[in-house]
Amino acid sequence: MKQRGFTLLELLVVTGIVAVLSGMLFPVFAKAKDTAKAAECLSNVRQVGVAWHLYANDADERACLSYYYLDNFSREIAWDFELRWDDPERPETKPGLLARYAREGRLHRCPTFHGERWGRPHTGMAYNVSFIGGDVLSGRREAAVGSIGDPAGTALFADAGFGNPVAGHNYLRSPSDPFFGIGTVHFRHGRGANVAFADGHTKRWSLRFFEKDSEPGTGALSADDSAYDLE
């Protein structure tokens, strides 16, 4: 029996169809991957928020301290990691103040973020130091949980980054904070940022303020301190 093969024209048609389908499906797959990463990040933010509440329960209802220094500033003990700066190029790291309640260090990361980490194993998430965690160098103490007047509207943790290209940081700062420029939110998930609030809920926050063309994707959660303060 005579066997019939594919003609060149048929192969070209099939190749064209595959190319068209690939062009249609690849963006769908990429969007699905980004959505999965955003969901993982939201879960990490939520679990760190839970760890914060557990810490406060064991600390007489006071917030976890943002950071402090020991040994003439050679050791930084922070909410996420402890860093020993004996070798500035390769600091030694250990779990931070929330480690007892969030044992996996990767919880402090966003899988979408790949910028500068400043010696930390993971980053991409920051803690509200302006009003909640306190700022040792500015003389501000950590807040009492009972002093938070609007828990549902007060951010504890958020996707964070500053600069261009975006670098990580772990200390979230309000618009009135003198160091706001290096403590901004990074709206990296479809122009939204994952945020954990003091009442325990988390959400994707899309409102963006103080956006600059020179630092695309970064900004503040509110036009004033209302999303950060204790009122």
Side-chain angles (χ1 to χ4, degrees):
M1 296 179 62
K2 183 178 180 180
Q3 292 184 344
R4 183 177 181 276
F6 292 105
T7 66
L8 178 60
L9 179 59
E10 289 172 330
L11 290 174
L12 290 174
V13 170
V14 171
T15 302
I17 293 174
V18 171
V20 171
L21 291 176
S22 298
M24 294 172 60
L25 293 177
F26 281 164
V28 175
F29 292 150
K31 184 176 181 180
K33 186 176 181 180
D34 290 341
T35 299
K37 287 183 177 180
E40 180 182 349
C41 176
L42 183 63
S43 175
N44 289 349
V45 172
R46 179 181 296 110
Q47 291 183 65
V48 173
V50 170
W52 181 89
H53 281 279
L54 293 174
Y55 180 102
N57 287 340
D58 287 345
D60 296 326
E61 295 301 309
R62 294 202 71 86
C64 176
L65 189 64
S66 303
Y67 69 95
Y68 61 93
Y69 292 99
L70 294 175
D71 302 336
N72 197 27
F73 294 94
S74 66
R75 289 175 60 196
E76 177 187 353
I77 294 85
W79 66 273
D80 55 350
F81 294 102
E82 175 183 339
L83 286 79
R84 182 181 288 275
W85 294 99
D86 297 328
D87 181 358
E89 297 298 324
R90 300 181 64 181
E92 177 187 346
T93 61
K94 296 180 180 179
L97 297 173
L98 289 182
R100 178 180 176 184
Y101 309 96
R103 295 183 181 278
E104 293 189 66
R106 66 181 182 83
L107 293 179
H108 305 310
R109 66 183 280 268
C110 172
T112 304
F113 182 80
H114 303 289
E116 173 63 59
R117 295 177 297 176
W118 312 111
R120 285 171 163 77
H122 305 293
T123 189
M125 189 189 309
Y127 178 33
N128 181 349
V129 305
S130 296
F131 291 93
I132 303 298
D135 193 342
V136 171
L137 296 181
S138 298
R140 292 196 299 266
R141 283 201 63 190
E142 73 278 13
V145 175
S147 68
I148 303 175
D150 179 22
T154 302
L156 293 178
F157 302 93
D159 288 329
F162 74 100
N164 186 13
V166 178
H169 68 81
N170 64 329
Y171 302 134
L172 185 68
R173 298 181 182 275
S174 69
S176 70
D177 193 303
F179 298 105
F180 168 70
I182 58 172
T184 50
V185 176
H186 187 200
F187 297 83
R188 63 175 69 102
H189 299 297
R191 293 187 59 83
N194 292 325
V195 183
F197 293 86
D199 70 335
H201 86 281
T202 56
K203 66 178 294 184
R204 185 77 49 77
W205 190 277
S206 299
L207 294 177
R208 187 189 308 185
F209 300 88
F210 299 105
E211 181 179 6
K212 298 189 296 185
D213 292 337
S214 59
E215 297 184 20
T218 66
L221 299 173
S222 54
D224 49 22
D225 289 347
S226 58
Y228 305 80
D229 63 22
L230 304 178
E231 299 180 2

